[in-house]
């Protein structure tokens, strides 16, 4: 079955399953509804042939998932230092950190954007094995943080912290065996939506996720809400629980906010637009340094 979405002069048709999967992906990765504009943009990527696992991987390497904002006025060396410190902290040597900071600084001077470099460094760090003497500790911390974020968004309070850690450890073990983070995001979503609601272990998580998906659909599809403020998008889901009554209450809140001029706003305190941050990287577009640096592998 297919559904048609129209926004301005844009028109796109994609399946209800694709639509639902995008809503689920946004909940798992960002704990939020996408809104109509993001839904259409992400749907267009699927229509162009990108797989869900690949889309999840791209989102993982975005500044929005890293959840840090860097002012555009920062000088190249200032941005590089802030980002590298946020990413790896004291988990690598000063020399290795300085090497990456220097590399990023020169890339920005040559024209690379903050978003491109964030995507490049995140994508380079994640596959590094924990056993790597220089970057393994930082990679392990980064992947653990990301996996914990996904699992917590999916399971919420339906799992204890100890049981959440078990799921996180499984995801990390699968990544160590060759799976991408995007693969494991899709595994986590499929696991939650694939169980019966009376399942002793996962049932409440499935009910919660189903209810949150329904509210997300109501705002993003049924009402075609367009706000790009992430805090507001999370607000409409904040009180949704396993109780189906909270779904009706959330829909009423959405209706009230949409009918109120000062309710939802298109202005973004936290700009949540994927068409601005997703970077399509082609071979050799963001190549590692050669020549004086003498380390094409840089972090590997």
């Amino acid at each position: 079955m297919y559904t048609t979405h129209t926004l301005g002069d844009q028109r796109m048709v994609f399946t209800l399953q694709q639509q639902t999967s995008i809503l689920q992906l946004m909940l798992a990765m960002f704990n939020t509804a996408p809104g109509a504009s993001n839904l259409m943009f992400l749907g267009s990527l699927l229509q162009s042939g990108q797989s869900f696992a690949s889309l999840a991987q791209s989102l993982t390497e975005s500044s929005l998932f890293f959840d840090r904002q860097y002012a555009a006025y920062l000088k190249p060396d200032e941005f590089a230092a802030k980002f590298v410190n946020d990413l790896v902290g004291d988990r690598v040597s000063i020399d290795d950190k300085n090497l990456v900071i220097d590399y990023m600084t020169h890339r920005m001077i040559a024209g690379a954007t903050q978003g491109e470099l964030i995507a490049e460094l995140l994508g380079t760090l994640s596959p590094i094995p924990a056993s790597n003497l220089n970057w393994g500790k930082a990679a392990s911390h980064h992947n653990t943080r990301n996996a914990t974020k996904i699992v917590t968004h999916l399971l919420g309070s339906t799992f204890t912290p100890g049981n959440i850690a078990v799921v996180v450890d499984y995801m990390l073990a699968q990544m160590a065996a060759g799976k991408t983070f995007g693969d494991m995001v899709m595994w986590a979503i499929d696991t939650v939506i694939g169980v019966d609601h009376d399942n002793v272990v996962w049932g409440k998580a499935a009910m919660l996720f189903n209810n949150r998906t329904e509210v997300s659909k109501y705002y993003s599809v049924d009402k075609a809400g367009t706000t790009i403020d992430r805090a507001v998008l999370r607000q409409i889901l904040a009180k949704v629980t396993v109780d189906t009554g909270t779904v009706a209450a959330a829909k009423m809140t959405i209706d009230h906010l949409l009918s109120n001029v000062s309710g939802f706003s298109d202005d973004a305190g936290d700009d949540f637009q994927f068409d601005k941050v997703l970077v399509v990287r082609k071979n050799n577009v963001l190549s590692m340094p050669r020549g004086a640096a003498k380390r094409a592998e840089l972090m590997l």
Side-chain angles (χ1 to χ4, degrees):
M1 188 173 183
Y2 289 81
T3 184
T4 301
H5 288 269
T6 305
L7 186 64
D9 59 354
Q10 301 178 33
R11 188 173 181 87
M12 179 183 64
V13 180
F14 54 98
T15 68
L16 289 175
Q17 180 56 54
Q18 288 175 326
Q19 171 185 281
T20 301
S21 294
I22 293 171
L23 296 171
Q24 293 167 339
L25 186 62
M26 291 298 96
L27 286 170
M29 298 196 68
F30 300 98
N31 195 32
T32 187
S37 299
N38 284 326
L39 183 67
M40 286 188 61
F41 173 70
L42 296 174
S44 71
L45 297 182
L46 297 177
Q47 288 294 92
S48 69
Q50 188 167 1
S51 69
F52 272 105
S54 174
L55 177 58
Q57 186 66 37
S58 295
L59 292 170
T60 300
E61 297 166 5
S62 72
S63 57
L64 284 177
F65 187 70
F66 189 61
D67 210 7
R68 297 285 195 282
Q69 291 184 319
Y70 300 97
Y73 61 75
L74 289 175
K75 296 178 181 178
D77 59 331
E78 292 173 337
F79 162 70
K82 284 180 178 293
F83 172 62
V84 173
N85 280 309
D86 285 344
L87 180 60
V88 303
D90 60 359
R91 298 174 185 85
V92 300
S93 70
I94 293 176
D95 286 343
D96 280 333
K97 284 175 65 173
N98 286 339
L99 176 66
V100 176
I101 291 171
D102 183 65
Y103 165 69
M104 292 181 65
T105 299
H106 283 86
R107 291 280 288 108
M108 289 197 74
I109 292 172
T113 66
Q114 288 184 3
E116 288 172 334
L117 289 171
I118 289 172
E120 179 179 355
L121 269 294
L122 294 181
T124 302
L125 181 64
S126 183
I128 294 175
S131 58
N132 183 281
L133 295 179
N134 294 327
W135 292 89
K137 187 176 180 180
S140 179
H141 173 79
H142 176 65
N143 288 329
T144 300
R145 178 177 56 193
N146 286 350
T148 301
K149 184 186 297 186
I150 296 295
V151 176
T152 302
H153 288 169
L154 278 171
L155 305 180
S157 61
T158 66
F159 268 45
T160 65
N163 286 337
I164 285 177
V166 171
V167 181
V168 169
D169 286 344
Y170 174 80
M171 292 176 67
L172 295 175
Q174 291 298 304
M175 290 175 66
K179 296 289 187 180
T180 68
F181 191 80
D183 291 331
M184 297 317 298
V185 171
M186 299 316 300
W187 167 84
I189 294 173
D190 290 342
T191 298
V192 172
I193 65 176
V195 299
D196 294 330
H197 288 183
D198 58 358
N199 183 282
V200 175
V201 178
W202 294 84
K204 287 187 177 180
M207 293 170 61
L208 175 63
F209 196 54
N210 183 70
N211 288 348
R212 285 163 60 81
T213 302
E214 183 175 345
V215 173
S216 178
K217 176 181 178 295
Y218 186 75
Y219 175 73
S220 303
V221 180
D222 299 344
K223 295 297 182 177
T226 58
T227 186
I228 52 174
D229 189 321
R230 178 158 37 178
V232 175
L233 288 168
R234 284 177 172 170
Q235 175 189 340
I236 66 177
L237 295 161
K239 295 183 179 180
V240 179
T241 70
V242 296
D243 182 356
T244 55
T246 62
V247 174
K251 290 180 178 180
M252 289 180 62
T253 298
I254 291 170
D255 290 340
H256 173 72
L257 290 171
L258 287 173
S259 65
N260 187 338
V261 175
S262 61
F264 288 124
S265 171
D266 287 338
D267 296 329
D270 181 4
D271 194 345
F272 194 62
Q273 289 183 279
F274 291 105
D275 58 340
K276 290 187 176 181
V277 300
L278 280 185
V279 178
V280 179
R281 290 182 293 166
K282 299 178 181 180
N283 292 335
N284 300 320
V285 171
L286 297 176
S287 58
M288 288 300 187
R290 297 180 181 275
K294 296 180 180 179
R295 290 182 64 179
E297 73 277 11
L298 192 59
M299 300 202 313
L300 298 177

